[in-house]
Amino acid sequence: MVERTQPSVSWEATLAIFWELYVIKQKLTGDMQEDKKRPARSLPYSSALNGRHCQSPGYIPGRVMPVRPPPAPRVTDPTVQRSSSKMDNQAIFTRRGNDQRHRSDPRRKKVKNSCICFGISMGILLIVLAVVLGTNSKLKRDENCPDQKFGFRNWNPGHNKHKRVIIKRGDNLRLVSSATVHSIIIQHGGVLVFADSADGSQNISLKCGYILVKDGGALHIGAEKCLFKSRAKITLSGRSDEGEDVPAFGKKFIGVEAGGTLELHGAQKTSWTLLSRSLPPSGLEAGSYFEKPTTRGLNVRVIDQDTGQVLLADRFDTHEFANESRRLQNFLKSQDSGRIIAIAVRDSAAKNLLLETKKTIQKLLGSKHVQDLSYRQAWALVSVVGAGNSSCSESVRDYENHDTGGKARASREFVTVDGVRFSVSASSQWKKGIPLSEFHVEVSGGFILDLLDEVEGWEKDDQIVIASTDYSMYQAEEFTLLPCPECTRHQVKVKEKAQFLHIGEIMDGIDMRAEVGILTRNIVIEGEMEDSCYGDNWCQFFKHDTFGGHLKVMKNFTSVHLSNVELMHMGQQIMGSYPVHFHLCGDVDRHGGYSSPTYLKSLAIHHCFSRCVTVHATNGLLISDTVGYDTLGHCFFLEDGIEQRNTLYHNLGLVTKPGTLLPTDRNDAMCSLILNNVYGSYIPVPATDCKAVSTFWIANPNNHLISNAAAGSQDTGIWYLFHKVPTGESQGLFSETKAELTPLGTFYNNRVHSNFKAGLFIDKGVKITNASADDPREYLCLDNSARFRPHQDADPQKPRVAAVIDRLMAFKNNDHGAWVRGGDVVFQNSGFSDNGIGLSFASDGSFPKDEGSSQEISESLFIGESKNYGSQGGQNKYWGVGGVDGKNRTLPRDKTFPIRGFQIYDGPIHVTKTTFQNYMATPVRFASAVGFVLKNPWQLTPKNSLSLVKFGKSVSLKVFFGTPGPWFEGCDLDGDKNAVFHDVDGSVTGYRDTYVGRMDNFLIQHPSCENVTSWFGTVCSGKYAQVYVQTRRPQNLTMTIARDEYSENPMTLRGINQRADFQQYQPVVMLQKGYTIHWNGRAPEEIFLYLINFNKEDWIRVGLCYPQATTFQVIADIYQRQNSTAHSVEDYKAVPSVEEVQHKPAERQYYFDNSTGLLFLMLQARHSREGHSYCSTQGCERVKITATMQSQAVSNCMAAGLREYASPPKATIVMPPKSLNECENCGASQRVFTSDPHKTYLLVQIQSLSKTEILQGHGESYISVNGIRFPFQNGFFIVTVDACSGTVTKNISFNKADTAMAKFLSTGITQRSIILLGSKDIISGDIDAISEKMVQLGIAKPAQLHKKESIAFFGYKGEFNPSWTGLYSSPAGQSLPLLEKYIPLQLQDYGCTNVTKPQRKELELLQKALQ
């Protein structure tokens, strides 16, 4: 963009001067004439006394006026004079007669004098023009900048809060100074622009009650091709209880109606990025240190100069005891050179402080005052052992009248090996007779953050927010940027100290790097707030004022584009008043006739009071790079269930809190107390009616979510729900939404973490009827009736379309990483870590509601508990032992909660090419890679399957079926008992093509099954299916089913009624076996038996218990559930024996054994089944039994049946041999799952071993590169890797630190190399020389490595200092754990050449979504 400067004299003024000169000249020479009939003509865009402009003939409503040159004046007669009207100051030209052409000599003399005046005026004017043109010689107007267009006049309305401004046709105003008015209406072609300057100094604040843009009006601050440089602030003022509402808008708003244009474009800023190095609490890895000693004498602290960690704390009462002085002397002499020593006197220390000790303090620490230390004198010192006077900071204050008159304070700054600056301070004083001393170790001068991306436009005093990387969203923290001349393009410095740990690394293969969002923009729209809540603004729930401003866009606007705008204190707890709201706008892209599709880009919406962006009956909107932070209610909100084709790209939402507007916004208290819209005395149930507030609330699946982050919500990160009909203001205006049937838009590369309920939730709908006696719940409360079942064109008669969830990162969610109900749904390339439950699949609804669907996950990674230990505080509720190493950490739920990776519910589900790691039990809780939904009252299908799965060594339970106790309770509901899955290839059990079920389920077992006691499971061969049993009259019985071979081990099922007039049961059965069914009361009069998951010719024999002398009508048919019709009806006929029934299984025959009360018949499938359908291609094969009973006796025939029909158990399919070989192709192909998939990461590990570990028999020491191990022996071992290709280039050993090792580190490593260094056994040799060489490879200063047990080093040789470098060491008696890093390859900063440009799939998907 061409540079421009603010002129001291405007172009309009200069043109006006030329025009006036021209008029004078024409008047004096007699050349100006104008036809009297011709209308007056004024200079285009010149100012008029009434404050209005003439309109350009090229003006287009809703757009900035085009620049045009002034038209040449039309001269029709040489004798023309100009007169002026007091009304409008318009130039008027009149013709004079011929008799006036010749005047007397006095007239000529007058002309002559006028010529002289004109000459003088021209001379003055030439001087003025010279100054103007000289001043503006470098000025070049930018046609793209609205404030530089011709035709605008400067506007300075002043400060009058009662002034109502209407800007209309001909009013083209440039606001040049701050102003206060009551309101502004821009209409009928009126335009308001904010003045800007090239140096960004034209700062303007506008305060008003509202701004309404409509009917050809336009408001511009900057433009898409001319970003605003200065600071513009619009403050919306007003209280909820004052003034009148504007129809359709209310109060305190910026509104855009039909024909309105709103263009706001601030200076470019990178909206958000990720940390690339962890930010520890306080900024120091060891934490900050603050202590007030309470003991008399010399209090001493020893601090590690490389880390800032306080290593030793002691006190020496040298006032009372001389031996304490000697002990202090020995203590100081024992400290290593370079250690930091801090000393502070409390009370007194001089009486028995010996001369030898004082000399030691002088010699080792460089003290100048210790020799003269006196009684109760305050003294503080900070120094470095062996560094002399130059390293010493000390201070003394004399004691007088029980006071020292202030602190004796000593302080010095240091730097860690990681480059973090920290200060150590000590102080001593007497205050009002009380002795005081303090020690501080803390970061000083700010903390430098390492960021993933180059952050454009981030400046001093900008505010940023760093997201939580723990379970509580309230660990998000705000920081202020400081000047940082030493920072690289990927760094910023912050003023405040972090309270919590914010992860900046990929941990255990999952990208947990914290999001960092910028909250500051140079265009600000804010609401003016009161100090506290007032009036009817839900003050029972909020202490602060929630009546902010809002921005609302209505249908048929001309143009709306917002970029790089900050919205703060916006939104109201009133329906329809949100920070940004597109209200019933219809199509706002090319489908709606907009050549420039509508967008919101890089907005910062923070500390707001009702949502972030509401998309209401609006389609085709692009929302990108927008941050929504600390808001109430659903943040990015799609409202009525009909919003489609909207694209949410690279947005960040965090700290999404409950609000009052909708039931789904509310928390427990709000849900129970807001009763305005329920029926009668109904009290809402928070768990089922409310508690669904979400950062992304997606009410229709046909929208696109790409590269977004939901980084903390009270309930859910991303929630897809399904409206059965359009709701709210769209109800009745649009046809049925068919949201449940609509295919999913693009879902790619989204992150969800720090949410309490779930990261991703795909399930449920909202109540679509008003509260009534039949259903007293509130309209739009959460409802469990909707099920996602996408079909082509949303037509259930057409094929299913799989909903693909590609690249979901879900971590640190208290309950679920993701919960999904519906089908078909496919997850791929996803990562789950540190969730209460990683992923739960629940079916579309299970039979009979679901016609058969499936869910699948592949190429994914589940981590039970990672190295992200978390931080206490910030509303984290749970803390305890966990993880592979058994350390204290934050926990998702209570310490007894059984964490699970993948949870099976309903089905069919499929898990393939997936890896599970770090699921370790503790003494008080179970942890399993695969588990089942707890307390499940319904069915599970044997079609659930696992294949090609891999379990890490740190998985204590691959599978767990539960056991009676906490969380599992009795573990005796129908679904609990029927839990089962198919181990397709033996990658779970070692037995190929087997089924895994509960150990106490004898419906599925045979004698060769293998029990796995720790799982409470059994592994069996065989073929399995289900029988769906539906009963009527009565519908409240308990059913008992027993297999003939295990009749002494029956299964009792309670059934699930679901408020229906029938009861239903669904046991899993082994095929080709016989079963009997019994009841705890008289048998039902009507029973349906459906064949579920039976393939053609599969069969079982069933015997149903009835009272003696019962008569039957038995028919078979095929039921079509979509239209509730049956066909192929056939009657069963009675036969005289059970053998005849069994020998002709294809025949429709039954046998009633009156002696035992058992009715026998065969259930055999006659038709094939396709895909995942529960039923055959022809429909659901079923048998209906209608019984006429004479007796009321309990129908339990087990005793009689056992005697008559029991048989020895046997396998139908022989158990396969157990495989002892490890599956080579099992598990996810990827090693790392990140939010920047276009980058390549190298997994490197260093396992150093100390002498102590070797003696304890620990394993080998090694360096691993992408899974390839390089073991090494005693001494040091170095592996170098090319940072561009990831290829190992060298590996070399050194017995000790010597000149050869130093030379190798200095000259033996090529540029652009990753250096990995480990140690084994005792560290010996010239370690100082090695430490010096490491400075060139990534550490900030030489480290003190003497007396270290082990070291590990990640370094880089090149012109760039990456954030991943680091030196790790363990002191005596301690060891280093296995250290792991994921190092990015082929970075631009490495200077790699011949690198293939990576595919940016997210950008390709974005372009496709916007087409």
Side-chain angles (χ1 to χ4, degrees), residues 1133-1150:
K1133 66 178 181 178
V1135 295
S1137 69
V1138 68
E1139 289 77 16
E1140 190 169 349
V1141 171
Q1142 188 154 343
H1143 291 160
K1144 297 180 180 179
E1147 299 291 330
R1148 303 298 194 188
Q1149 301 177 140
Y1150 71 85

Side-chain angles (χ1 to χ4, degrees), residues 46 122 132 180 264 348 368 580 598 638 651 686 711 830 921 966 997 1055 1126 1273:
S46 63
M122 284 295 294
V132 171
T180 302
L264 309 178
S348 184
K368 297 179 181 178
V580 182
T598 309
L638 277 59
N651 301 292
S830 296
Q1273 301 304 313

Side-chain angles (χ1 to χ4, degrees), residues 718-737:
I718 302 172
W719 193 317
Y720 284 90
L721 76 161
F722 310 95
H723 293 226
K724 287 186 174 294
V725 298
T727 58
E729 294 188 46
S730 302
Q731 189 169 11
L733 301 179
F734 299 89
S735 60
E736 184 182 359
T737 62

